[in-house]
Amino acid sequence: MNRIIGALGTCVLLCGAAGAANGAEWRMDAAGSKLEFVATFERNPVPGVFKEFDARLRFDPEKPEGGGLDVTIKVTSADMNVADVNKEIRGKDWFDYAAFPQAEFHSTDLRRTGGNRYVARGTLSLKGMKQAVEVPFTWTGAGEGAAIEGELTLKRGAFAIGTGEWAATRVIGADVKVKFTVKLRKAG
């Protein structure tokens, strides 16, 4: 009987240690979160925002290895604040809402790069394309709340965004800057 109790105790300790390695579970607070993108038109910045997205983070800022960041974006919520542009980006040459209404990022590796700076390495799936992406972010945490903020640059051509007559990068630039602020709450 003592062996069974001892084995169960060891199992509980090991399972607890494995769960701790992944860090706390954090869920996004939509009210305080923002996902923006900035394209260029004739070298001038043209901002947009995804109004609907969700982020979940498994994270221990002291031991980020083993954690993960998962983001789901309703591409159909893209808003560039110009009706004609919003209509155009729905089509096949741009986001192709009908075939690809959602984008996802799933990290495979979290690392500290210094101080409160980290990077999530993973795969971004957008418009049927999958690319390895590094998402740098800063972490600010206090008690049950936290925030991550970051910025990265993506090549729109790598995801077939702006094809056909829009494939050339003279008028619409090749780079798209993505900026985010995600407010988080510790999950139950």
Side-chain angles (χ1 to χ4, degrees):
M1 185 64 148
N2 285 342
R3 282 186 178 170
I4 293 173
I5 292 172
L8 287 173
T10 301
C11 182
V12 168
L13 287 174
L14 289 174
C15 290
N22 290 332
E25 293 282 334
W26 297 88
R27 296 215 168 121
M28 186 178 90
D29 178 356
S33 300
K34 192 169 192 175
L35 179 58
E36 303 170 278
F37 59 94
V38 181
T40 56
F41 177 75
E42 295 180 344
R43 299 185 192 212
N44 294 305
V46 181
V49 64
F50 290 106
K51 293 181 174 182
E52 296 179 50
F53 69 103
D54 185 48
R56 294 176 187 253
L57 180 67
R58 291 171 313 285
F59 186 67
D60 177 347
E62 298 305 315
K63 296 179 184 174
E65 299 81 7
L69 174 63
D70 297 301
V71 181
T72 303
I73 304 159
K74 282 186 101 175
V75 176
T76 56
S77 73
D79 183 2
M80 297 189 76
N81 209 26
V82 177
D84 289 344
V85 174
N86 284 346
K87 184 177 178 183
E88 183 69 28
I89 64 175
R90 294 176 183 176
K92 289 187 179 199
D93 285 343
W94 294 98
F95 286 116
D96 194 358
Y97 287 4
F100 307 101
Q102 184 170 291
E104 295 180 352
F105 173 78
H106 298 290
S107 71
T108 54
D109 183 33
L110 290 179
R111 302 270 179 201
R112 175 181 261 150
T113 58
N116 71 336
R117 294 183 313 276
Y118 300 84
V119 65
R121 294 180 180 105
T123 302
L124 176 62
S125 301
L126 173 62
K127 198 179 174 186
M129 307 291 183
K130 292 184 178 189
Q131 296 286 326
V133 173
E134 291 191 359
V135 178
F137 66 92
T138 59
W139 165 267
T140 308
E144 300 296 307
I148 60 172
E149 293 184 66
E151 182 177 300
L152 65 143
T153 300
L154 299 173
K155 299 285 186 193
R156 67 180 175 89
F159 297 96
I161 305 294
T163 60
E165 69 179 290
W166 304 107
T169 58
R170 289 183 313 277
V171 176
I172 307 225
D175 294 341
V176 177
K177 188 178 292 187
V178 178
K179 301 189 292 186
F180 59 90
T181 300
V182 179
K183 300 293 183 185
L184 300 161
R185 287 175 293 165
K186 199 174 275 189

